[in-house]
Amino acid sequence: MEVAKYSRGQGADLKALRDKKLKGQLSVKEKLYGQSAKAAAKAEKWLMPNDGVLGPYNIGYTSNGRYMLVGGQKGHLAMMDMLHMDLMKEFEVRETVRDVTFLHNEQFYAVAQKKYPYIYNRHGTEIHCLKEHGKALKLQFLSKQFLLASINSFGQLHYQDVSTGEMVANYRTGLGRTDVMRANPYNAVIGLGHAGGKVTMWKPTSVKPLVTMLCHHGPVTAVAFDRGGNLMATAGVDRKIKIWDLRKYEVVHSYPARAQSLDFSQKGLLACSNGSQVEIYKDFGGHDYKLYMKHKIMKGYQVGKVLFRPYEDILGIVHSMGFSSILVPGSGEPNFDTFVDNPMETTKQKREKEVHALLDKLPPETIMLNPNMIATVRAPKKKEKKTKEIEEEMEDAIEAAKNIERKKKTKGRSKPSKRAKKKEEDVFKAKRPFLEQSDKIDGRPDKKQRIGEEVELPKALQRFAKKPQS
Amino acid sequence: MRVKVISRSTDDYTRERSQDLQKVFRNYDPALRSQEKAVEYTRALNAAKLEKIFAKPFIGAMDGHIDAVSCMAKNPNHLKAIFSGSMDGDVRLWDIAARKTVCQFPGHQGAVRGLTTSTDGDLLVSCGVDCTVRLWKDPMLKMVDTSDHTGVNSQPSAVYTWKHAFWGADHQWDGNLFATVGAQVDIWDPDRSEPINSFEWGKDTVLSVRFDPGDCNILITSGSDRSLTLYDLRMSSPARKLIMKTRCNSVCWNPREPMNFTAANEDTNCYSFDARKLDEAKIVHKGHVSAVMDIDYSPTGREFVTGSYDRTVRIFNYLGDHSREIYHTKRMQRVFCVKYTFDGTYLVSGSDDTNLRLWKSKASEQLGVLLPRERKKQEYQDALKERYKHLPEVKRIVRHRHLPKPIYKAANLRRTMIEAENRKEERRRKHSAPGSMTVQPFRKRRIIKEVE
């Protein structure tokens, strides 16, 4: 602790004074100076820790922006109360830490360590070791469903319910190792960016991704989702930052820039970290994003992750020297709602909120691309009425099938029950082509693509065409 | 250059003293809240499940009678009091809150078939198969005045003997006349020992009678010739008659829409009619699997309760074609009479097993005084269930009722039979000349004719 740095020179020499009144006044002042120097030195202790010796940091904020969690690559973990600038807990795990995230409030946080992710309590006590996740590279918490999602080094996506401990889903993405993962706050869909330039979106109840988009000509380096649910920003190695409209899946803007990390603020500002500077884009009406602010840190130091602090005009920047935060006017939501997130919560309010969140915990089936589709009416399916000719043909075919001559088997192999079964099979075979004509089930196309008669096949494929039933 | 940045001071957002209320700030922006519909749907599902957990409608049984309970009477001025008459002539006054007999009115020799009170409560009329009508003065004095003298009201103030056994009785809502029915409809004045007026249409027994709450001169009776007859006291002869295919056991007027009445029929359905247009039923209320014995409307006029021979009590919405609720107990046998209390929260059912049973009209309702927060929560949950009741998961939970096995099987059997009949009807219609077979709606099907 460098108290001397903040003490602003030597203290006054009070012994030489004869005037008692002056002596008393000055000694009080000196005491105050001493205390303020100590307090400032204490702040320095974690705000600018050890010049980046403990590796690039990962940061996470709670949803009300009050608590911040930093985890250094070399295993340094610290949680602090940003409202009163208090360090709550600091400890070393002596292992590689790849990602940190808070769970539903500051009582618990998950840390993706060398082999498995661990869950710690606010006192730093290890509570759970999540072995099933494997070597997690990134963690995301879906707060309404109480699901912890992780992507591991094999490209497997795991969803675990942290309130019951149940593993809800684990899927192999099939697209290799990726460490770009972001949760869409609007619909709780997980977006992954892959090495081939694809971005896939996942929900816990389906094996295949909901959406696969080809975004870049090279690996995707960062993904971010807007709070309103309409915009997605992606950055790739091909030196482009693209802003996508998620309703039409089209590019809205494309910038020739690099970005190591992207983040959207509550008010729609986009922060990109690029080398030793941070660029902030703002939309001036109608999704027209233009450069708003640039912030350069000292030359030579690389900026890592950028994260906006909720409900404040502050952007947290992680760089190779540690962590710093800058003011970005207009990025935070100034009016908070006590029942959604309260940065100045009392303990009772926090407990009530936790209980209500658990009572209203959403089942994982409610995650979908359009969350407003719940309780809407499905359009009725149009049943095409069979024309009379088709019906007549079907009846003729059934009659014919019933009347064909069947060979009578000897030695007791032609039992009446077996003959009746054979007859039924023939009738069903005769009916089948007519039933297949009404092949669209629920308006969805047939899963197996049948090559119809209308399609003109090239000669090489003609042997694979299904022969029409005569 | 001045730049505006968010700067909050904790003093503005936290309370000053611990006696103060916590400060609450709202921002209704939907962007702050994600997945609102999913949250609301989950809350509706939980509300439906909680409703089922708290559904305990049975409050208690009142035992004391030694034979089946045949009729009950209630009075609008005394919410806690209910009269019941049994098949052995025992008339009792019960205190619903204590579930105990307050007073007995001995005297009848045979079954008591009709019990009714005057609207102001100082006259009780009972009539039975022993051809007598007994009047009792101030019957509910004992409920108010708990002193021990029994002399005053355990003796009838008047006993009128008449020519035939009685099957039902009812008192005018405004006025002091009452009507009894048996072989004919008799109108009595309590001071006269003979009926002041008598009506007759046909030679069949009349089974039940009800005065119209809206117009004190109109009454409706149901008879064993499968008819419903409307009488007007100002005319010298009956007004209208409706003949149905099966007999109606009981009728009740809707207290809030006094031109409508509902009849409980032997063919397990209840038919709601508009008294001005009797040729077609307004609604057919289906649900019971055996004859419906008695019917009573809630004072709100929005629902009614029916008791049936199949040992269940059902509550219907006044416009509903299927029951909203069904109550049954292993110990409750054939239900002969049901009454809704005048505050609309309880039902009383009298059955063959000599007990009167007290039920809640809303099975999961919390009775007693609710705190404003509790009440608001309950209203919110009711609104949620109402909004999402069409979705399959919520509907399944809200609709689910456990039925006793005989009822469940009987209902399935009925359904199969009705479906088979409908199918055959359809086929007959398809194979006959178009237009030769008319489609008759169910509301008309059970009516034979209307007679002036």
Side-chain angles (χ1 to χ4, degrees), chain A residues 209-227:
Chain A
L210 286 167
V211 179
T212 313
M213 300 165 60
L214 184 64
C215 291
H216 290 278
H217 289 297
V220 176
T221 52
V223 170
F225 289 97
D226 183 33
R227 306 289 154 124

Side-chain angles (χ1 to χ4, degrees), chain B residues 214-252:
Chain B
D215 186 346
C216 57
N217 291 316
I218 297 186
L219 53 99
I220 187 165
T221 62
S222 68
S224 63
D225 58 347
R226 300 172 276 117
S227 68
L228 288 168
T229 319
L230 273 171
Y231 295 85
D232 191 331
L233 292 184
R234 296 163 288 206
M235 292 168 33
S236 58
S237 65
R240 254 199 172 77
K241 188 175 197 174
L242 174 72
I243 302 178
M244 298 184 69
K245 286 207 172 128
T246 43
R247 183 184 86 201
C248 286
N249 288 319
S250 178
V251 194
C252 188

Side-chain angles (χ1 to χ4, degrees), chain A residues 1-2 5-6 38-52 54-55 57 59 61 66-72 76-91 309 317-319 321-325:
Chain A
M1 214 157 59
E2 295 243 43
K5 192 163 122 195
Y6 296 92
K38 263 202 193 138
K42 218 165 94 174
E44 184 209 55
K45 180 175 152 195
W46 45 264
L47 278 177
M48 286 180 279
N50 19 55
D51 291 333
L54 289 174
Y57 281 86
I59 52 174
Y61 287 107
R66 179 157 172 185
Y67 295 90
M68 182 174 81
L69 181 64
V70 284
H76 175 221
L77 278 173
M79 180 167 89
M80 53 204 82
D81 174 358
M82 298 301 269
L83 193 62
H84 302 300
M85 290 302 199
D86 265 338
L87 176 66
M88 302 203 47
K89 184 69 191 177
E90 182 181 21
F91 61 103
R309 186 173 151 194
I317 303 172
V318 169
H319 46 75
M321 285 244 280
F323 169 80
S324 56
S325 49

Side-chain angles (χ1 to χ4, degrees), chain A residues 324-439:
Chain A
S324 56
S325 49
I326 58 168
L327 285 174
V328 181
S331 63
E333 173 61 57
N335 306 310
F336 60 85
D337 187 323
T338 316
F339 299 112
V340 174
D341 283 310
N342 186 352
M344 280 146 234
E345 257 177 344
T346 63
T347 330
K348 265 194 190 166
Q349 285 174 337
K350 183 174 63 199
R351 279 191 226 136
E352 280 288 313
K353 185 159 179 280
E354 187 176 8
V355 173
H356 282 296
L358 280 169
L359 285 174
D360 289 337
K361 183 179 86 163
L362 300 176
E365 298 85 54
T366 52
I367 298 178
M368 51 187 79
L369 275 179
N370 178 7
N372 293 326
M373 218 173 64
I374 293 179
T376 49
V377 179
R378 197 189 296 172
K381 44 182 178 182
K382 292 180 207 151
K383 279 194 194 149
E384 283 174 62
K385 288 196 189 121
K386 276 190 184 162
T387 56
K388 279 202 170 169
E389 295 98 49
I390 299 175
E391 270 189 19
E392 278 172 15
E393 274 181 49
M394 186 164 99
E395 285 184 11
D396 287 339
I398 291 172
E399 276 297 314
K402 280 189 189 166
N403 289 338
I404 55 175
E405 283 264 318
R406 282 172 204 91
K407 193 172 167 190
K408 189 161 185 269
K409 291 195 176 172
T410 55
K411 291 194 180 175
R413 281 175 301 179
S414 86
K415 290 207 191 109
S417 58
K418 285 199 181 149
R419 272 189 278 156
K421 212 181 191 182
K422 205 85 205 336
K423 194 174 176 184
E424 227 182 271
E425 272 177 29
D426 286 335
V427 167
F428 180 66
K429 267 195 213 145
K431 265 206 220 166
R432 208 183 334 166
F434 299 97
L435 292 178
E436 277 176 357
Q437 281 175 16
S438 55
D439 62 354

